[in-house]
Amino acid sequence: MQLGRPVEELVRELDERGFVPLDDLVPEPVLAVMRRGCDDLIERTRRMRHSSQGWQLEAEGEGGGWAARAEGREGIPGKVRVVGHAHEHSPELAKVPELLGLNEGVVEPLHGLRGDFYNSYLWAKPSEVGSEKPWHQDALFLREEFYETYEDVFTIWIAVDDAREDNGCLRFLPGSHRDRVVQEPHGIDREDLFASPREPSLDIDRLWPDLTPVTLPRRAGSAVLFRAFTAHTSSANRTEGQRRAVSYVYSLPRRPGTAGGGR
Ligand SMILES: O=C(O)CCC(=O)C(=O)O
């Protein structure tokens, strides 16, 4: 696997900023496999009316697809926002980590140990109605017990289409990971996150007044790797094209000599 830059440089940048771009990570034949996997999952949602926890459709009205799912309202068939456990539903997306050698070629060099595969997601950001993903830290979704075995996660987010500012590329808040504090969004029940009609959303100006967000467009086949505490967001997609992406998440075992139990 070609990371394109010296590993020490990537590790330093990841430590300082909480994310690191990985340019041209995916060769065209593997990107073709990913496109097929995404298309197949999206096609299946044409027959869906309601979201489940794993398959979230976009929806009209306040709070978009997140609120509609929590309130049992109908979503828009074929306009899927996110599919969790994507590898369990798509043989194509399931084989990508192996095809790319993500664990031995990316996780191990950057963490020092291989990770444990945790989950994969299709982030479909469909045309016209693709909704904003508010500022959040993925650590919010990890339980306390996680830190007994693991110290963090690496999410490897891969653009399947060009991700631009106008169709909802990711934005990051460099340095927001440093304190390893999970910031709890207002109005959220931590024990039952998915029941809340309000999607977790952080007020980054109040929480991190000294940090400045950066917007990170990615060409199809390029990726970004980020940590669990790194605050990030993506804006809405009002364009006529979709902005598909797939993320592969690895839990990072504690390295020898680092403290166990809790963050
Ligand atoms: O792709 C997106 O729009 C959001 C991705 C995201 O928030 C994540 O991978 O945690």
Side-chain angles (χ1 to χ4, degrees):
M1 152 108 2
Q2 292 296 316
L3 291 174
R5 289 166 59 195
V7 167
E8 311 72 55
E9 197 180 299
L10 294 171
V11 170
R12 201 173 331 115
E13 188 169 317
L14 187 58
D15 281 349
E16 276 168 19
R17 288 160 70 84
F19 67 96
V20 70
L22 300 172
D23 294 344
D24 303 320
L25 188 78
V26 184
E28 181 49 42
V30 181
L31 197 52
V33 171
M34 296 183 77
R35 282 196 206 101
R36 278 203 303 279
C38 291
D39 286 345
D40 172 51
L41 293 184
I42 293 167
E43 182 60 31
R44 282 194 243 169
T45 68
R46 287 184 192 281
R47 294 187 293 276
M48 289 182 187
R49 293 280 176 282
H50 286 90
S51 301
S52 59
Q53 197 159 313
W55 298 66
Q56 192 189 122
L57 298 175
E58 298 285 4
E60 308 290 353
E62 204 179 326
W66 177 287
R69 181 196 39 72
E71 293 165 355
R73 281 189 281 118
E74 281 195 13
I76 308 170
K79 297 285 190 182
V80 67
R81 185 181 196 231
V82 53
V83 179
H85 295 276
H87 58 287
E88 290 175 9
H89 305 293
S90 162
E92 280 90 1
L93 297 182
K95 61 187 176 197
V96 170
E98 203 65 39
L99 289 174
L100 294 175
L102 289 182
N103 210 350
E104 60 279 24
V106 180
V107 178
E108 189 173 13
L110 297 192
H111 177 59
L113 294 173
R114 288 194 193 192
D116 287 337
F117 184 78
Y118 180 76
N119 206 342
S120 70
Y121 300 86
L122 160 63
W123 302 97
K125 196 77 90 178
S127 60
E128 284 151 6
V129 295
S131 58
E132 174 198 12
K133 177 80 189 157
W135 282 104
H136 67 284
Q137 296 165 303
D138 291 345
L140 181 70
F141 298 91
L142 299 172
R143 300 208 159 268
E144 198 64 36
E145 306 85 79
F146 175 86
Y147 300 97
E148 289 164 13
T149 312
Y150 300 107
E151 61 176 62
D152 209 330
V153 302
F154 277 172
T155 291
I156 303 168
W157 183 100
I158 302 171
V160 174
D161 301 300
D162 289 347
R164 305 176 308 267
E165 219 169 329
D166 69 340
N167 68 359
C169 67
L170 292 180
R171 302 182 75 209
F172 290 93
L173 193 60
S176 50
H177 67 296
R178 283 196 206 123
D179 296 336
R180 295 178 62 81
V181 171
V182 187
Q183 299 293 348
E184 300 217 4
H186 284 301
I188 294 295
D189 175 1
R190 185 84 201 269
E191 293 308 308
D192 202 359
L193 283 173
F194 292 97
S196 166
R198 276 183 53 180
E199 183 162 15
S201 173
L202 296 174
D203 179 353
I204 59 158
D205 296 330
R206 185 181 59 79
L207 291 167
W208 293 283
D210 300 330
L211 302 182
T212 310
V214 300
T215 302
L216 193 72
R218 301 273 71 203
R219 277 194 307 274
S222 286
V224 53
L225 183 152
F226 54 95
R227 295 177 176 283
F229 292 92
T230 312
H232 58 288
T233 183
S234 66
S235 52
N237 180 12
R238 300 282 174 251
T239 72
E240 288 176 5
Q242 55 190 345
R243 188 242 59 185
R244 297 162 298 176
V246 179
S247 63
Y248 293 96
V249 186
Y250 289 86
S251 306
L252 304 179
R254 291 185 169 278
R255 285 165 293 196
T258 59
R263 288 174 211 123

